[in-house]
Amino acid sequence: MPSGRAGRSLWPTPGTTTPSRPWPSGSLRENVGDIAVLGTSMGGYVALEVIRQAPERITALALVSTSARADTTEQVQARARQSALVEDGHFEALVDAAFPGVVAAANESDDALLATWRCMTTPVGAEAFLRQQRAVVQRADLRSILPSIACPTAIIHGAQDRLIPLDAAEEIAEALPTARFTVVEGAGHFLFHEQPAAARDAVRSWLESAS
């Protein structure tokens, strides 16, 4: 079974979207056959759009540190402020300023996590970051499709996620009562790096349920 992953972390691989060409359409064309999809953060938004466009091809779905809601007005305004900083040449400063919000409060002083965060986000660059922000604010609210998802699904979320609070995952889990819902203690939004063993176990359990 071919498998695909829709994305990861706060600033994943660059992507754009327009009303006439939703963001995952190219990946769906490039990956033939059935697909198992794991999406983290923005990747979770993409994963939900994938299953909206091609539900018959999705054999398993994992939604990690994400939400089915569209951005609120406040979130759109916050993204606009971040984009303005980046347009003014402060991308690297934004990377460091964002770090405390993506980890649990207890991990804010973890230099190793900060170094990992910088290694993952800095190569994205200013131009790709701006494209991603434009894509995210255009996304649809996909809560309405949740009850129709029939494939094996995992919902994995950090208990101390301050970027996308836990209630976003609880909302998805309530709409998908058969999903595996794992709350990772001691982790914020950066859970794969804050609590790698627990995150790995949750993903392995999901894959085993889908095999």
Side-chain angles (χ1 to χ4, degrees), residues 13 85 90 92 121 161:
T13 302
L85 284 172
H90 302 297
E92 291 186 1
T121 55
D161 193 330

Side-chain angles (χ1 to χ4, degrees), residues 6-67:
R8 64 174 188 172
S9 195
L10 181 62
W11 297 326
T13 302
T16 59
T17 182
T18 66
S20 62
R21 188 175 184 274
W23 35 7
S25 55
S27 295
L28 286 169
R29 287 195 303 270
E30 293 163 7
N31 291 277
V32 178
D34 294 341
I35 307 171
V37 184
L38 184 155
T40 304
S41 191
M42 180 178 175
Y45 310 152
V46 180
L48 285 170
E49 181 61 27
V50 166
I51 202 163
R52 185 191 71 81
Q53 290 187 34
E56 74 285 352
R57 293 182 55 193
I58 309 306
T59 60
L61 174 69
L63 300 170
V64 185
S65 305
T66 196
S67 170

Side-chain angles (χ1 to χ4, degrees), residues 150-206:
C151 64
T153 301
I155 303 159
I156 307 168
H157 214 93
Q160 287 78 44
D161 193 330
R162 293 176 288 176
L163 189 67
I164 300 179
L166 181 60
D167 59 6
E170 292 172 338
E171 181 177 50
I172 297 172
E174 184 175 346
L176 288 169
T178 61
R180 294 170 176 261
F181 184 22
T182 303
V183 178
V184 180
E185 295 293 338
H189 196 68
F190 207 37
L191 69 86
F192 277 116
H193 300 276
E194 294 175 90
Q195 298 294 337
R200 185 169 55 247
D201 288 346
V203 172
R204 181 184 296 115
S205 177
W206 164 66

Side-chain angles (χ1 to χ4, degrees), residues 11 90-100 114 117-118 121-122:
W11 297 326
H90 302 297
F91 175 70
E92 291 186 1
L94 178 62
V95 167
D96 281 4
F99 176 73
L114 175 58
W117 170 250
R118 286 171 173 163
T121 55
T122 301

